[in-house]
Amino acid sequence: MSSQHQEPDERAGNPHAPGQGALHGLRIADFSRVLAGPYATMLLADLGADVIKVERPGTGDDTRAWHPPADQDGISTYFLSVNRNKRSIVLDLTEETGRARARDLIARSDVLVENFRPGTMERLGLGHEELLEQHPELIYCSISGFGSGAGAAIPGYDLLVQAVGGLMSVTGQAHGEPVKAGVALVDVITGLHASLGILAALRHRDATGRGQLVEVNLLTSLLSAMVNQASAFAVAGVVPGRMGNAHPSIAPYETLPTADRPIALAVGNDRQFAALCEAVGKPGLAHDGRFRTNADRVAHREELRDILTGRLGAASADHWSAVLLAAGVPAGPVNTLDDAFAFAHKLGLPGIVDIPGATAGSGEGAPSRQVAHPITLSGTPAQYRLPPPGLGRHTAEILDGPLDGSDDASG
């Protein structure tokens, strides 16, 4: 089995060599598909891990067929969003030959990631108990919708978890229908938890030489991510409801209309509120008994909203954003996604990067446009080595040759 801590010179070389990612030398056998698992493994790949994506023959990852939208070659942008820096192989796990090749790949890997329905990997002879007995240094990460116990049979779809996990109950207008988040937020959160669990298990392996099973599921990931709302119930028995864009504990902390589009105000303390009142030409509000403290403002939020709306309607969201930010008040317009990327660029923050080489289906040379990795590391920054792979693009090179081709940027 590949082992980063036991064989540092075989593949990793000097783990601190310039130009190498922090996870250089780590190999991940990625049996996951759709979003939570692929997002986790892409983040680790960006940081230097060699991720080998195992896909079904013929169709591959489900998201390859999830379009529109698609790129210029007809490749699903959904698939492209979470599969860069990976090499793709196809294996038919329903046949013994495919399972044997999978076991060989796992034997040469540090981490296995899978998100099949619980019990599937066991039926294939690739369950964690058997593999950890054979390879005690393996980190085996299993991602499910509702755990491997009583919820094992429930399909793990993000929309379903947003509904049964309570997120939709606090999202939407107070008197409207429950609303899902605009992205598969639970999958993304679960992917982050998976990557954190893998790194923690690797740290333990560095100290002890022992691998372990890492389990994450969509439901408990969401319950954890509900933070203050979940704590309100756990500690005080409060069952929160929908409040639109308002906050249950802070005011004004919501979107308000201006002359052209909504603006978000995130006023978190009395000093910021006083600055807001001064900036909108109503300094006396900060001393009004209804609004003097945050608790007062929460109790009289509707009156405060009406007053502020009357003032903000006199100018545009961009005007008020500039005025309020200059006064030290957290504020900003409700941007469309193109505006959001432009805003990040204006601030000098990474937004979109171009990866040289072919995209998943293009053959030659076309760069793959990707959303930048969100973590900045001063010594071992994220790298963009490979565009998202074509289905089975690396099968022959990986299964019929050495595995140390992770720096091949041919796509």
Side-chain angles (χ1 to χ4, degrees):
M1 151 166 281
S2 166
S3 172
Q4 188 179 33
H5 77 276
Q6 188 177 46
E7 307 172 41
D9 295 326
E10 181 183 341
R11 288 179 294 108
N14 177 1
H16 303 291
Q20 294 179 348
L23 300 180
H24 178 78
L26 184 75
R27 181 173 299 124
I28 300 173
D30 183 8
F31 291 81
S32 69
R33 67 251 188 251
V34 185
L35 183 51
Y39 185 66
T41 56
M42 183 183 73
L43 294 179
L44 299 175
D46 289 351
L47 299 178
D50 175 21
V51 175
I52 299 173
K53 184 177 181 69
V54 180
E55 302 188 72
R56 292 188 303 263
T59 57
D61 190 312
D62 295 355
T63 60
R64 288 185 181 273
W66 289 8
H67 51 73
D71 73 355
Q72 69 274 15
D73 298 300
I75 307 301
S76 162
T77 60
Y78 201 122
F79 173 82
L80 296 175
S81 71
V82 289
N83 285 293
R84 66 170 171 254
N85 284 335
K86 302 177 185 181
R87 297 187 287 166
S88 170
I89 66 173
V90 293
L91 290 178
D92 187 348
L93 298 180
T94 67
E95 297 182 350
E96 178 52 36
T97 299
R99 293 193 294 271
R101 289 192 159 195
R103 286 191 289 269
D104 179 63
L105 172 64
I106 294 164
R108 296 186 285 167
S109 299
D110 301 282
V111 180
L112 181 155
V113 179
E114 63 90 13
N115 64 349
F116 290 104
R117 184 171 294 189
T120 300
M121 290 292 273
E122 283 75 13
R123 289 193 296 273
L124 295 171
L126 302 173
H128 70 272
E129 290 185 357
E130 179 177 345
L131 290 179
L132 285 172
E133 182 177 351
Q134 296 170 359
H135 310 294
E137 296 177 354
L138 180 67
I139 307 301
Y140 191 114
C141 179
S142 180
I143 302 171
S144 66
F146 298 90
S148 57
I154 306 175
Y157 285 89
D158 185 277
L159 173 63
L160 178 60
V161 181
Q162 288 199 36
V164 302
L167 181 58
M168 289 176 65
S169 76
V170 298
T171 308
Q173 295 301 318
H175 302 293
E177 291 293 318
V179 177
K180 72 175 181 68
V183 296
L185 190 63
V186 183
D187 273 320
V188 173
I189 292 167
T190 305
L192 290 171
H193 289 170
S195 60
L196 175 61
I198 289 168
L199 293 176
L202 286 168
R203 179 66 183 91
H204 174 75
R205 192 184 75 173
D206 287 344
T208 67
R210 303 292 297 183
Q212 61 182 296
L213 172 65
V214 177
E215 291 185 278
V216 295
N217 68 80
L218 301 182
L219 180 58
T220 57
S221 290
L222 173 58
L223 294 177
S224 173
M226 295 277 283
V227 287
N228 61 300
Q229 299 281 41
S231 180
F233 170 73
V235 176
V238 174
V239 179
R242 295 183 297 283
M243 299 181 62
N245 291 323
H247 193 286
S249 305
I250 313 172
Y253 196 97
E254 59 185 304
T255 57
L256 295 172
T258 68
D260 58 353
R261 56 176 168 157
I263 188 172
L265 300 181
V267 178
N269 56 52
D270 295 340
R271 179 189 58 79
Q272 291 174 349
F273 181 66
L276 168 66
C277 296
E278 185 74 32
V280 299
K282 299 284 286 186
L285 286 181
H287 308 289
D288 188 313
R290 298 170 295 173
F291 312 127
R292 186 172 292 114
T293 69
N294 178 67
D296 296 329
R297 295 191 289 275
V298 170
H300 299 92
R301 67 167 73 241
E302 294 302 328
E303 297 164 77
L304 178 58
R305 178 184 172 90
D306 289 344
I307 295 170
L308 291 175
T309 297
R311 303 299 296 179
L312 295 173
S316 69
D318 287 340
H319 167 83
W320 286 119
S321 295
V323 169
L324 294 173
L325 286 174
V329 180
V334 177
N335 282 332
T336 56
L337 197 54
D338 54 341
D339 290 332
F341 275 110
F343 184 55
H345 180 75
K346 178 181 177 181
L347 299 179
L349 297 174
I352 295 175
V353 296
D354 287 328
I355 304 178
T359 63
S362 69
E364 293 295 336
S368 176
R369 303 209 79 195
Q370 295 278 300
V371 179
H373 189 92
I375 301 171
T376 299
L377 296 174
S378 62
T380 53
Q383 300 174 343
Y384 307 99
R385 307 179 306 278
L386 295 168
L391 178 60
R393 166 68 177 81
H394 304 92
T395 300
E397 122 186 0
I398 290 173
L399 297 183
D400 300 330
L403 286 180
D404 56 356
S406 59
D407 292 327
D408 170 17
S410 62

